[in-house]
Amino acid sequence: MSRFYDVVVIGAGPAGIFTALELADTGASVLILEKGLDIRERIALNRDKNAPPKDRRANIVCGWGGAGAFSDGKLTLTTDYGGNLDDYMNKGELAGLISYVDSVYCRYGGAERKVYGDEFAEEIHELKRKSAAADLMFIPARIRHLGTDVNSVILANMRDSLPDNVTVISKTAADRILADKDGTVLGVEAGGETYHCKYLVAAPGREGAEWFMKEARALGLETQSNAVDIGVRVESPAEVYEPITKICYESKLVYFSRSFDDRVRTFCMNPYGFVVTENNAGLQTVNGHSFAHKKSGNTNFAILVSKQFTSPFNEPISYGKYIASLANMLGAGPIVQRLGDLRDGRRSTVERIRRGLVRPTMPSATPGDLSLVLPYRFLKDIMEMFEALDQVAPGANSRHTLLYGVEVKFYSSRIALTNQLETKFRNFFAIGDGAGITRGLVQASAAGVVVGREICAREGKPKGDM
């Protein structure tokens, strides 16, 4: 059976949602295909403590809202990090898009949430000075923190706002992209159905990255491998990082290791947050989030080592999954270890974790030894990073600091795209984290705006607020 839509969007993460929002009032027939659950089903499953663990894990990264649905909803209001959209437009254009995306999140329920980074200029300057003295580059950012709880409400409001010309089919994964040999994209096969369209927007999240790259190569699209980021999720008493988090809710600290000159960075800092399990195609990795109205006594963030592979190896996602599989093999899921135990060459035990000064917010993690999982090069980079961080936030390098492993960010290979984020096939666009050009809520959303507006322009239906 075949159906026709003006626009088919693969994936209901931020990129796909914002594409649909831009097209919602044009009258164009839009179909969104999503392999996971719709938003209210996701929320209900997330709250159901009796649900099968396998279903709960799969729900973390798939469904309406994508992997960001149960993140802590940090809107990174800067062009300095969060993706690679500045490769397709100038910084001024990107800044305008980011401001617009922020206004949309505010319209759907985020207006009351605080923006961090609009003050403390002197303190930021001092943090930059201290960081530079420790061989760290401190990159502050304006952050609107929605919180995991508020973020899910916003996503539900966006879903409810869609008019009848936008159809959402959940629990239906795209199987194959259909195209003619002359470079015309015809549509997509999904769940035994064929959906033809004039415009196809592939907006996969990280969960769909491997599938999308396989389809891209089958279509003969040129791809370029991105780096894979592998590391640990760090958890310390919140007071340790208050010199940073009181000034900038989240910032980037970048370090180039003495031993290997590898790029090491902090990622996704969550003051008073919680460490959680993330499911990546059956592999359990770690992540973190924080709520608007619920707090722990700890701050967590990732330390990630970026590795760009060169010829002949060209499978960074497979490499990252292999590392994650070692942790799952040894710990039946994520492993937790005290930094002091890692330095002393011994595994952590339940008793050692219990005697530590940091109460783990993910008690299901298995005490173990991350040196059996992470290669020496990554461990050396991470140890050096802690030494540098301790000069900016004294106590960071404490032996009681908890490390959860592994955290892996599968930034897929990047497809060659035009400045309109279009592939070499006419009317076939590729956006989202799974397409390798974005790395967070704001730039993924902004990519959807770019594509939605481009389709509107081609159809002669510009939006009034463009």
mmCIF file of all heavy atoms in Angstrom, residues 20 26 30-31 38 50 76 115 119 130 165 177 180 189 214 223 272 302 306 391:
data_model
loop_
_atom_site.group_PDB
_atom_site.id
_atom_site.type_symbol
_atom_site.label_atom_id
_atom_site.label_comp_id
_atom_site.label_asym_id
_atom_site.label_seq_id
_atom_site.Cartn_x
_atom_site.Cartn_y
_atom_site.Cartn_z
ATOM 1 N N ALA A 20 8.460 20.235 11.397
ATOM 2 C CA ALA A 20 6.996 20.180 11.347
ATOM 3 C C ALA A 20 6.360 21.474 11.837
ATOM 4 O O ALA A 20 5.369 21.942 11.273
ATOM 5 C CB ALA A 20 6.495 18.993 12.167
ATOM 6 N N THR A 26 1.140 25.949 6.957
ATOM 7 C CA THR A 26 1.192 26.154 5.507
ATOM 8 C C THR A 26 0.127 25.360 4.770
ATOM 9 O O THR A 26 -0.105 25.593 3.582
ATOM 10 C CB THR A 26 2.566 25.728 4.962
ATOM 11 O OG1 THR A 26 2.744 24.315 5.158
ATOM 12 C CG2 THR A 26 3.693 26.486 5.653
ATOM 13 N N VAL A 30 2.044 16.738 5.992
ATOM 14 C CA VAL A 30 3.323 16.347 6.590
ATOM 15 C C VAL A 30 3.136 15.056 7.372
ATOM 16 O O VAL A 30 2.179 14.917 8.138
ATOM 17 C CB VAL A 30 3.854 17.448 7.541
ATOM 18 C CG1 VAL A 30 5.185 17.036 8.159
ATOM 19 C CG2 VAL A 30 3.993 18.776 6.795
ATOM 20 N N LEU A 31 4.048 14.120 7.180
ATOM 21 C CA LEU A 31 4.053 12.870 7.933
ATOM 22 C C LEU A 31 5.350 12.778 8.727
ATOM 23 O O LEU A 31 6.437 12.968 8.169
ATOM 24 C CB LEU A 31 3.951 11.663 6.993
ATOM 25 C CG LEU A 31 4.169 10.287 7.652
ATOM 26 C CD1 LEU A 31 3.046 9.966 8.625
ATOM 27 C CD2 LEU A 31 4.294 9.194 6.596
ATOM 28 N N ASP A 38 4.903 7.835 21.330
ATOM 29 C CA ASP A 38 4.484 9.226 21.374
ATOM 30 C C ASP A 38 4.763 9.762 22.772
ATOM 31 O O ASP A 38 4.980 9.007 23.725
ATOM 32 C CB ASP A 38 2.999 9.348 21.019
ATOM 33 C CG ASP A 38 2.710 10.628 20.238
ATOM 34 O OD1 ASP A 38 3.439 11.617 20.441
ATOM 35 O OD2 ASP A 38 1.752 10.648 19.429
ATOM 36 N N ASN A 50 7.215 -0.384 37.398
ATOM 37 C CA ASN A 50 7.024 -1.820 37.211
ATOM 38 C C ASN A 50 7.170 -2.245 35.754
ATOM 39 O O ASN A 50 7.022 -3.426 35.433
ATOM 40 C CB ASN A 50 5.636 -2.235 37.719
ATOM 41 C CG ASN A 50 5.490 -2.011 39.215
ATOM 42 O OD1 ASN A 50 6.398 -2.298 39.989
ATOM 43 N ND2 ASN A 50 4.335 -1.494 39.625
ATOM 44 N N THR A 76 21.358 25.628 24.887
ATOM 45 C CA THR A 76 22.663 26.274 24.788
ATOM 46 C C THR A 76 22.555 27.448 23.822
ATOM 47 O O THR A 76 22.521 27.263 22.608
ATOM 48 C CB THR A 76 23.719 25.271 24.305
ATOM 49 O OG1 THR A 76 23.693 24.117 25.153
ATOM 50 C CG2 THR A 76 25.106 25.872 24.329
ATOM 51 N N VAL A 115 17.634 32.046 32.525
ATOM 52 C CA VAL A 115 18.788 32.024 31.634
ATOM 53 C C VAL A 115 20.025 32.350 32.470
ATOM 54 O O VAL A 115 20.092 33.396 33.124
ATOM 55 C CB VAL A 115 18.639 33.034 30.485
ATOM 56 C CG1 VAL A 115 19.917 33.071 29.646
ATOM 57 C CG2 VAL A 115 17.452 32.673 29.604
ATOM 58 N N GLU A 119 25.133 37.538 33.535
ATOM 59 C CA GLU A 119 25.794 38.424 34.491
ATOM 60 C C GLU A 119 27.136 37.824 34.862
ATOM 61 O O GLU A 119 27.676 36.992 34.135
ATOM 62 C CB GLU A 119 24.911 38.593 35.737
ATOM 63 C CG GLU A 119 24.374 37.290 36.291
ATOM 64 C CD GLU A 119 23.330 37.491 37.382
ATOM 65 O OE1 GLU A 119 23.119 38.638 37.811
ATOM 66 O OE2 GLU A 119 22.752 36.485 37.813
ATOM 67 N N LYS A 130 42.038 31.536 35.594
ATOM 68 C CA LYS A 130 42.426 30.333 36.323
ATOM 69 C C LYS A 130 42.527 29.125 35.392
ATOM 70 O O LYS A 130 43.431 28.293 35.519
ATOM 71 C CB LYS A 130 41.409 30.031 37.421
ATOM 72 C CG LYS A 130 41.531 30.915 38.653
ATOM 73 C CD LYS A 130 40.558 30.422 39.730
ATOM 74 C CE LYS A 130 40.716 31.226 41.008
ATOM 75 N NZ LYS A 130 39.792 30.751 42.063
ATOM 76 N N ASN A 165 -3.132 18.724 9.352
ATOM 77 C CA ASN A 165 -2.334 18.426 8.163
ATOM 78 C C ASN A 165 -0.986 17.776 8.509
ATOM 79 O O ASN A 165 -0.245 17.362 7.624
ATOM 80 C CB ASN A 165 -2.086 19.687 7.327
ATOM 81 C CG ASN A 165 -1.368 20.781 8.097
ATOM 82 O OD1 ASN A 165 -1.900 21.298 9.068
ATOM 83 N ND2 ASN A 165 -0.171 21.134 7.647
ATOM 84 N N ILE A 177 15.098 4.022 2.443
ATOM 85 C CA ILE A 177 14.841 5.239 1.673
ATOM 86 C C ILE A 177 14.804 4.871 0.200
ATOM 87 O O ILE A 177 15.677 4.151 -0.305
ATOM 88 C CB ILE A 177 15.931 6.299 1.952
ATOM 89 C CG1 ILE A 177 15.853 6.759 3.406
ATOM 90 C CG2 ILE A 177 15.790 7.497 1.009
ATOM 91 C CD1 ILE A 177 16.997 7.653 3.839
ATOM 92 N N ASP A 180 15.302 7.111 -7.142
ATOM 93 C CA ASP A 180 15.582 6.725 -8.520
ATOM 94 C C ASP A 180 17.068 6.875 -8.812
ATOM 95 O O ASP A 180 17.786 7.613 -8.120
ATOM 96 C CB ASP A 180 14.801 7.610 -9.504
ATOM 97 C CG ASP A 180 13.375 7.130 -9.697
ATOM 98 O OD1 ASP A 180 13.102 5.969 -9.349
ATOM 99 O OD2 ASP A 180 12.550 7.924 -10.183
ATOM 100 N N GLU A 189 10.160 3.406 2.918
ATOM 101 C CA GLU A 189 9.409 2.237 3.356
ATOM 102 C C GLU A 189 9.499 2.139 4.872
ATOM 103 O O GLU A 189 10.587 2.284 5.449
ATOM 104 C CB GLU A 189 9.980 0.966 2.723
ATOM 105 C CG GLU A 189 9.723 0.849 1.228
ATOM 106 C CD GLU A 189 10.291 -0.450 0.649
ATOM 107 O OE1 GLU A 189 11.016 -1.155 1.387
ATOM 108 O OE2 GLU A 189 10.025 -0.739 -0.527
ATOM 109 N N LYS A 214 24.072 3.745 6.724
ATOM 110 C CA LYS A 214 23.962 2.603 5.804
ATOM 111 C C LYS A 214 23.108 2.974 4.602
ATOM 112 O O LYS A 214 23.453 2.669 3.446
ATOM 113 C CB LYS A 214 23.354 1.413 6.545
ATOM 114 C CG LYS A 214 23.161 0.171 5.688
ATOM 115 C CD LYS A 214 22.510 -0.945 6.490
ATOM 116 C CE LYS A 214 22.220 -2.153 5.601
ATOM 117 N NZ LYS A 214 21.520 -3.230 6.363
ATOM 118 N N THR A 223 30.136 10.680 2.426
ATOM 119 C CA THR A 223 30.154 10.820 3.886
ATOM 120 C C THR A 223 31.569 11.065 4.387
ATOM 121 O O THR A 223 32.551 10.705 3.736
ATOM 122 C CB THR A 223 29.585 9.563 4.577
ATOM 123 O OG1 THR A 223 30.426 8.442 4.263
ATOM 124 C CG2 THR A 223 28.163 9.287 4.138
ATOM 125 N N TYR A 272 23.351 19.644 40.905
ATOM 126 C CA TYR A 272 22.318 19.020 41.739
ATOM 127 C C TYR A 272 21.511 17.996 40.922
ATOM 128 O O TYR A 272 20.308 17.841 41.115
ATOM 129 C CB TYR A 272 21.396 20.082 42.337
ATOM 130 C CG TYR A 272 22.149 21.102 43.161
ATOM 131 C CD1 TYR A 272 22.526 22.324 42.621
ATOM 132 C CD2 TYR A 272 22.510 20.826 44.471
ATOM 133 C CE1 TYR A 272 23.247 23.255 43.359
ATOM 134 C CE2 TYR A 272 23.233 21.747 45.226
ATOM 135 C CZ TYR A 272 23.598 22.961 44.660
ATOM 136 O OH TYR A 272 24.317 23.870 45.411
ATOM 137 N N ALA A 302 30.186 14.871 32.107
ATOM 138 C CA ALA A 302 31.034 13.906 31.408
ATOM 139 C C ALA A 302 32.407 14.505 31.152
ATOM 140 O O ALA A 302 32.549 15.708 30.928
ATOM 141 C CB ALA A 302 30.403 13.486 30.092
ATOM 142 N N SER A 306 37.992 12.936 22.573
ATOM 143 C CA SER A 306 37.600 12.860 21.170
ATOM 144 C C SER A 306 38.682 12.130 20.377
ATOM 145 O O SER A 306 39.874 12.453 20.485
ATOM 146 C CB SER A 306 37.415 14.265 20.582
ATOM 147 O OG SER A 306 36.350 14.929 21.217
ATOM 148 N N GLN A 391 42.644 22.605 39.726
ATOM 149 C CA GLN A 391 43.166 23.950 39.907
ATOM 150 C C GLN A 391 42.081 25.018 39.754
ATOM 151 O O GLN A 391 42.235 26.133 40.231
ATOM 152 C CB GLN A 391 44.299 24.212 38.912
ATOM 153 C CG GLN A 391 45.489 23.280 39.080
ATOM 154 C CD GLN A 391 46.582 23.547 38.085
ATOM 155 O OE1 GLN A 391 47.052 24.682 37.938
ATOM 156 N NE2 GLN A 391 47.001 22.503 37.374
#
